[in-house]
Amino acid sequence: MNGPTILARTLSSAKIRDRYQNNWQYHSRSDHHSKIACWGVIFDLMASTPLLKRHVEAGAVCFGINHEMRDFVHDRKKNLDLVLCTPGGPTTTETLESIGRNYKIELTQEEQSAFDKLPQLLRAPVGSVLMALEAKACMTAHQRALPRLYDELNSSHLTVHGASDQAVAVAFTMVNVAENYLSPDLNKKNRSSDPEWSKHRQPRDAQLAIDKIRQLPRRSKVGDVGYDAISIVVIDMANDGNAAKLIEGPPAPPKGDIYNYDNMIARLSGIYATRFKDLS
Protein backbone atom coordinates (compact mmCIF):
# COMPACT_ATOMS: atom_id res chain seq x y z
CA MET A 1 0.00 0.00 0.00
CA ASN A 2 1.26 3.44 -0.96
CA GLY A 3 -0.89 5.97 0.91
CA PRO A 4 1.01 6.46 4.19
CA THR A 5 4.39 6.58 2.44
CA ILE A 6 3.09 9.14 -0.06
CA LEU A 7 1.68 11.21 2.81
CA ALA A 8 4.96 11.26 4.76
CA ARG A 9 6.99 12.05 1.63
CA THR A 10 4.70 14.85 0.49
CA LEU A 11 4.46 16.42 3.96
CA SER A 12 8.25 16.40 4.13
CA SER A 13 8.46 19.01 1.39
CA ALA A 14 5.14 20.79 1.94
CA LYS A 15 5.18 24.58 2.14
CA ILE A 16 2.03 25.95 3.72
CA ARG A 17 2.60 29.70 3.94
CA ASP A 18 1.07 31.61 6.85
CA ARG A 19 0.43 35.36 7.10
CA TYR A 20 3.85 35.86 8.69
CA GLN A 21 5.57 34.27 5.68
CA ASN A 22 6.49 31.11 7.58
CA ASN A 23 6.45 27.85 5.66
CA TRP A 24 4.94 24.86 7.45
CA GLN A 25 4.67 21.18 6.66
CA TYR A 26 1.50 20.96 8.76
CA HIS A 27 -0.90 23.68 9.81
CA SER A 28 -4.06 22.99 11.79
CA ARG A 29 -6.02 25.53 9.74
CA SER A 30 -5.04 23.93 6.45
CA ASP A 31 -6.66 20.82 5.00
CA HIS A 32 -3.60 19.99 2.90
CA HIS A 33 -2.70 16.90 4.94
CA SER A 34 -6.30 15.67 4.81
CA LYS A 35 -6.48 15.94 1.05
CA ILE A 36 -3.17 14.09 0.60
CA ALA A 37 -4.31 11.31 2.94
CA CYS A 38 -7.65 10.86 1.16
CA TRP A 39 -5.96 10.92 -2.25
CA GLY A 40 -3.71 8.07 -1.14
CA VAL A 41 -6.65 6.03 0.16
CA ILE A 42 -8.45 6.29 -3.18
CA PHE A 43 -5.25 5.39 -5.05
CA ASP A 44 -4.77 2.25 -2.96
CA LEU A 45 -8.45 1.34 -3.05
CA MET A 46 -8.66 1.58 -6.84
CA ALA A 47 -5.48 -0.46 -7.22
CA SER A 48 -6.88 -3.26 -5.04
CA THR A 49 -10.56 -3.31 -6.04
CA PRO A 50 -11.34 -4.62 -9.55
CA LEU A 51 -15.05 -3.76 -9.26
CA LEU A 52 -14.27 -0.13 -8.44
CA LYS A 53 -11.95 0.09 -11.44
CA ARG A 54 -14.72 -1.24 -13.70
CA HIS A 55 -17.19 1.27 -12.28
CA VAL A 56 -14.73 4.13 -12.84
CA GLU A 57 -14.03 3.00 -16.40
CA ALA A 58 -17.78 2.91 -17.10
CA GLY A 59 -18.28 6.41 -15.65
CA ALA A 60 -20.59 5.04 -12.94
CA VAL A 61 -18.37 6.31 -10.10
CA CYS A 62 -16.79 9.74 -9.71
CA PHE A 63 -15.48 11.77 -6.79
CA GLY A 64 -16.40 14.93 -4.94
CA ILE A 65 -14.36 17.19 -2.67
CA ASN A 66 -15.56 18.96 0.49
CA HIS A 67 -19.03 17.56 -0.08
CA GLU A 68 -21.65 18.62 2.44
CA MET A 69 -23.65 15.73 3.82
CA ARG A 70 -26.79 16.41 5.82
CA ASP A 71 -28.18 14.00 8.38
CA PHE A 72 -31.83 13.45 7.41
CA VAL A 73 -32.80 12.42 10.95
CA HIS A 74 -31.19 15.22 12.98
CA ASP A 75 -30.62 17.80 10.22
CA ARG A 76 -26.94 18.21 11.10
CA LYS A 77 -24.45 18.78 8.31
CA LYS A 78 -20.76 18.20 7.77
CA ASN A 79 -18.30 18.67 4.93
CA LEU A 80 -16.45 15.45 4.10
CA ASP A 81 -12.91 15.66 2.74
CA LEU A 82 -13.52 13.37 -0.24
CA VAL A 83 -16.36 11.14 -1.40
CA LEU A 84 -16.79 8.46 -4.02
CA CYS A 85 -20.19 8.89 -5.59
CA THR A 86 -22.44 8.36 -8.55
CA PRO A 87 -22.39 11.43 -10.80
CA GLY A 88 -25.20 13.88 -10.13
CA GLY A 89 -24.47 15.84 -13.29
CA PRO A 90 -21.88 16.26 -16.05
CA THR A 91 -18.31 15.46 -15.07
CA THR A 92 -15.74 18.25 -14.77
CA THR A 93 -12.27 18.45 -16.24
CA GLU A 94 -10.75 17.67 -12.84
CA THR A 95 -9.39 14.18 -12.27
CA LEU A 96 -7.74 12.36 -9.39
CA GLU A 97 -4.48 12.93 -11.28
CA SER A 98 -5.01 16.68 -11.68
CA ILE A 99 -5.88 17.28 -8.03
CA GLY A 100 -2.81 15.24 -7.11
CA ARG A 101 -0.74 17.76 -9.03
CA ASN A 102 -2.57 20.64 -7.34
CA TYR A 103 -1.80 19.14 -3.94
CA LYS A 104 1.84 18.68 -5.03
CA ILE A 105 1.68 14.99 -4.20
CA GLU A 106 5.06 13.35 -4.70
CA LEU A 107 5.15 9.89 -6.25
CA THR A 108 8.10 7.65 -6.94
CA GLN A 109 8.57 6.37 -10.48
CA GLU A 110 7.13 3.01 -9.41
CA GLU A 111 4.09 4.63 -7.79
CA GLN A 112 3.52 6.82 -10.81
CA SER A 113 3.67 3.79 -13.09
CA ALA A 114 1.08 1.99 -10.93
CA PHE A 115 -1.15 5.05 -10.89
CA ASP A 116 -0.94 5.45 -14.68
CA LYS A 117 -2.39 1.96 -15.11
CA LEU A 118 -5.59 2.94 -13.28
CA PRO A 119 -8.66 4.28 -15.08
CA GLN A 120 -9.20 8.03 -14.93
CA LEU A 121 -11.36 9.00 -11.96
CA LEU A 122 -13.32 12.16 -12.72
CA ARG A 123 -14.80 14.81 -10.46
CA ALA A 124 -18.53 15.40 -10.82
CA PRO A 125 -21.46 16.89 -8.91
CA VAL A 126 -22.31 14.41 -6.18
CA GLY A 127 -25.28 12.14 -6.79
CA SER A 128 -25.46 9.25 -4.32
CA VAL A 129 -22.54 8.97 -1.90
CA LEU A 130 -20.97 5.52 -1.94
CA MET A 131 -17.99 6.19 0.31
CA ALA A 132 -17.17 9.20 2.49
CA LEU A 133 -13.66 9.81 3.78
CA GLU A 134 -12.72 11.88 6.80
CA ALA A 135 -9.06 12.54 7.64
CA LYS A 136 -7.92 13.96 10.98
CA ALA A 137 -4.54 14.49 12.63
CA CYS A 138 -3.32 14.76 16.21
CA MET A 139 0.06 16.46 15.97
CA THR A 140 0.61 18.21 19.33
CA ALA A 141 -1.03 18.84 22.72
CA HIS A 142 -2.31 15.30 22.37
CA GLN A 143 -4.20 14.99 25.65
CA ARG A 144 -5.88 18.40 25.35
CA ALA A 145 -6.86 17.71 21.74
CA LEU A 146 -8.54 14.35 22.40
CA PRO A 147 -12.13 15.47 23.18
CA ARG A 148 -12.34 17.59 20.04
CA LEU A 149 -10.65 14.92 17.90
CA TYR A 150 -13.12 12.30 19.09
CA ASP A 151 -16.16 14.55 18.70
CA GLU A 152 -15.23 15.59 15.16
CA LEU A 153 -14.62 12.01 14.08
CA ASN A 154 -17.71 10.68 15.81
CA SER A 155 -19.95 13.30 14.22
CA SER A 156 -18.74 12.29 10.76
CA HIS A 157 -19.99 8.72 10.69
CA LEU A 158 -23.26 9.80 12.35
CA THR A 159 -23.82 12.40 9.64
CA VAL A 160 -22.81 10.09 6.80
CA HIS A 161 -25.12 7.29 7.88
CA GLY A 162 -27.86 9.72 8.85
CA ALA A 163 -27.81 10.81 5.22
CA SER A 164 -27.28 7.37 3.65
CA ASP A 165 -27.06 4.15 5.65
CA GLN A 166 -25.62 2.34 2.61
CA ALA A 167 -22.68 4.73 2.34
CA VAL A 168 -19.29 3.52 3.59
CA ALA A 169 -17.88 5.80 6.31
CA VAL A 170 -14.08 5.84 6.50
CA ALA A 171 -11.76 7.53 9.01
CA PHE A 172 -8.07 8.08 8.30
CA THR A 173 -6.21 9.32 11.37
CA MET A 174 -2.62 10.48 11.72
CA VAL A 175 -0.87 10.67 15.10
CA ASN A 176 2.46 12.38 15.66
CA VAL A 177 5.07 10.64 17.80
CA ALA A 178 7.70 13.42 17.63
CA GLU A 179 9.12 14.45 21.00
CA ASN A 180 9.63 18.07 19.89
CA TYR A 181 7.24 20.02 17.67
CA LEU A 182 6.99 23.53 16.22
CA SER A 183 3.38 24.64 16.50
CA PRO A 184 2.25 27.28 14.01
CA ASP A 185 0.02 28.75 16.72
CA LEU A 186 2.98 29.32 19.05
CA ASN A 187 5.47 30.39 16.36
CA LYS A 188 4.21 33.25 14.25
CA LYS A 189 6.49 36.27 14.29
CA ASN A 190 8.99 34.46 16.49
CA ARG A 191 9.72 31.33 14.47
CA SER A 192 13.04 32.37 12.99
CA SER A 193 14.26 34.49 15.90
CA ASP A 194 13.04 32.64 19.00
CA PRO A 195 11.20 29.40 18.20
CA GLU A 196 9.01 27.94 20.95
CA TRP A 197 9.18 24.15 20.96
CA SER A 198 6.34 22.00 22.23
CA LYS A 199 7.65 19.07 24.24
CA HIS A 200 5.86 15.72 24.24
CA ARG A 201 6.17 12.68 26.48
CA GLN A 202 6.53 9.98 23.86
CA PRO A 203 5.34 7.40 23.15
CA ARG A 204 2.86 8.07 25.99
CA ASP A 205 1.20 11.09 24.34
CA ALA A 206 0.79 9.37 20.99
CA GLN A 207 -0.60 6.29 22.73
CA LEU A 208 -3.26 8.41 24.46
CA ALA A 209 -4.46 9.62 21.06
CA ILE A 210 -4.38 6.12 19.59
CA ASP A 211 -6.36 4.72 22.51
CA LYS A 212 -8.99 7.46 22.10
CA ILE A 213 -9.37 6.77 18.38
CA ARG A 214 -9.83 3.09 19.19
CA GLN A 215 -12.90 4.06 21.22
CA LEU A 216 -14.76 5.24 18.12
CA PRO A 217 -17.77 3.02 17.33
CA ARG A 218 -17.39 0.60 14.43
CA ARG A 219 -19.99 -1.34 12.51
CA SER A 220 -19.89 -4.67 10.73
CA LYS A 221 -23.08 -4.30 8.69
CA VAL A 222 -25.50 -1.74 7.32
CA GLY A 223 -27.91 -0.63 10.00
CA ASP A 224 -25.38 -0.58 12.83
CA VAL A 225 -23.83 2.60 14.23
CA GLY A 226 -20.17 3.40 13.63
CA TYR A 227 -17.41 3.60 11.06
CA ASP A 228 -17.13 0.93 8.41
CA ALA A 229 -13.33 1.21 8.51
CA ILE A 230 -10.71 3.18 10.46
CA SER A 231 -6.96 3.45 10.12
CA ILE A 232 -4.35 4.92 12.45
CA VAL A 233 -1.09 6.04 10.83
CA VAL A 234 1.80 7.17 13.04
CA ILE A 235 4.45 9.65 11.88
CA ASP A 236 7.42 11.39 13.47
CA MET A 237 7.42 15.01 12.31
CA ALA A 238 8.79 18.03 14.15
CA ASN A 239 7.22 20.48 11.64
CA ASP A 240 10.57 22.22 11.34
CA GLY A 241 11.33 21.37 7.71
CA ASN A 242 13.00 18.04 8.35
CA ALA A 243 11.60 14.92 6.71
CA ALA A 244 8.52 13.28 8.19
CA LYS A 245 9.13 9.65 9.10
CA LEU A 246 6.49 6.96 8.79
CA ILE A 247 6.52 4.80 11.95
CA GLU A 248 5.60 1.16 11.41
CA GLY A 249 6.68 -0.19 14.80
CA PRO A 250 5.03 0.57 18.17
CA PRO A 251 2.88 2.50 18.89
CA ALA A 252 1.60 2.13 15.31
CA PRO A 253 -1.00 -0.64 14.82
CA PRO A 254 0.83 -3.74 13.55
CA LYS A 255 0.00 -5.83 10.51
CA GLY A 256 -3.28 -7.63 11.04
CA ASP A 257 -4.59 -5.07 13.52
CA ILE A 258 -8.01 -3.71 12.53
CA TYR A 259 -6.58 -0.17 12.65
CA ASN A 260 -3.60 -0.96 10.43
CA TYR A 261 -3.78 0.96 7.15
CA ASP A 262 -3.34 -2.12 4.94
CA ASN A 263 -6.10 -3.87 6.84
CA MET A 264 -8.37 -0.86 6.33
CA ILE A 265 -7.84 -0.91 2.56
CA ALA A 266 -8.49 -4.66 2.41
CA ARG A 267 -11.67 -4.20 4.42
CA LEU A 268 -12.86 -1.34 2.20
CA SER A 269 -12.16 -3.36 -0.92
CA GLY A 270 -14.26 -6.23 0.39
CA ILE A 271 -17.10 -3.97 1.48
CA TYR A 272 -17.16 -2.21 -1.88
CA ALA A 273 -17.17 -5.49 -3.80
CA THR A 274 -20.22 -6.76 -1.93
CA ARG A 275 -22.22 -3.63 -1.16
CA PHE A 276 -22.06 -2.10 -4.64
CA LYS A 277 -21.93 -5.20 -6.85
CA ASP A 278 -25.23 -4.23 -8.51
CA LEU A 279 -24.22 -0.64 -9.26
CA SER A 280 -24.56 0.19 -12.93
Side-chain angles (χ1 to χ4, degrees):
M1 298 298 168
N2 300 300
T5 303
I6 293 171
L7 176 61
R9 183 188 309 122
T10 303
L11 286 179
S12 293
S13 58
K15 292 180 175 60
I16 303 169
R17 183 69 63 91
D18 67 15
R19 59 181 294 191
Y20 303 101
Q21 307 308 306
N22 297 309
N23 287 323
W24 300 101
Q25 295 158 285
Y26 172 89
H27 199 296
S28 61
R29 278 174 286 282
S30 169
D31 64 356
H32 187 235
H33 63 284
S34 300
K35 295 297 188 291
I36 300 167
C38 292
W39 191 97
V41 170
I42 297 302
F43 175 16
D44 285 333
L45 187 60
M46 286 182 61
S48 58
T49 313
L51 181 62
L52 176 57
K53 284 190 283 190
R54 292 198 295 272
H55 285 163
V56 171
E57 287 174 338
V61 172
C62 299
F63 74 92
I65 299 173
N66 293 332
H67 174 63
E68 181 185 286
M69 295 195 75
R70 187 180 291 271
D71 181 344
F72 177 76
V73 178
H74 299 99
D75 197 29
R76 58 190 159 204
K77 59 185 179 180
K78 188 172 182 64
N79 286 346
L80 278 300
D81 292 313
L82 192 149
V83 298
L84 288 178
C85 59
T86 59
T91 57
T92 71
T93 58
E94 285 188 282
T95 65
L96 191 65
E97 180 180 17
S98 68
I99 67 167
R101 290 196 300 270
N102 292 340
Y103 301 155
K104 296 181 172 58
I105 289 176
E106 297 184 10
L107 302 180
T108 64
Q109 187 173 2
E110 184 179 6
E111 291 164 349
Q112 185 65 58
S113 177
F115 182 82
D116 290 342
K117 295 175 182 176
L118 298 175
Q120 191 176 71
L121 181 63
L122 301 173
R123 185 176 181 180
V126 177
S128 297
V129 173
L130 307 177
M131 186 177 294
L133 283 77
E134 178 82 314
K136 293 294 180 185
C138 186
M139 300 297 289
T140 188
H142 297 69
Q143 190 163 3
R144 189 168 68 247
L146 295 186
R148 181 177 179 180
L149 175 70
Y150 183 92
D151 289 346
E152 289 181 348
L153 286 166
N154 197 47
S155 68
S156 291
H157 74 82
L158 291 170
T159 304
V160 169
H161 293 142
S164 172
D165 200 36
Q166 290 286 331
V168 181
V170 186
F172 177 102
T173 62
M174 179 173 69
V175 177
N176 190 17
V177 76
E179 293 186 357
N180 302 309
Y181 182 79
L182 275 184
S183 168
D185 288 335
L186 300 178
N187 293 274
K188 297 175 181 177
K189 295 181 179 180
N190 61 306
R191 174 173 172 172
S192 59
S193 59
D194 186 23
E196 181 176 342
W197 287 91
S198 298
K199 306 290 185 179
H200 304 144
R201 291 176 57 193
Q202 299 292 13
R204 171 190 173 274
D205 289 351
Q207 190 65 57
L208 287 173
I210 291 169
D211 291 344
K212 191 66 176 180
I213 294 166
R214 287 179 178 269
Q215 294 175 16
L216 287 164
R218 307 175 303 277
R219 70 177 192 169
S220 60
K221 63 182 185 298
V222 174
D224 286 351
V225 175
Y227 275 104
D228 295 273
I230 306 173
S231 68
I232 301 171
V233 169
V234 177
I235 66 165
D236 184 337
M237 191 177 84
N239 209 24
D240 60 353
N242 286 311
K245 299 175 183 177
L246 181 65
I247 305 301
E248 297 182 332
K255 297 284 187 182
D257 189 286
I258 62 172
Y259 296 96
N260 180 270
Y261 179 86
D262 290 9
N263 190 82
M264 182 192 76
I265 294 297
R267 177 170 175 79
L268 289 176
S269 182
I271 291 173
Y272 189 95
T274 55
R275 196 172 299 180
F276 303 117
K277 61 181 182 299
D278 297 324
L279 181 68
S280 59

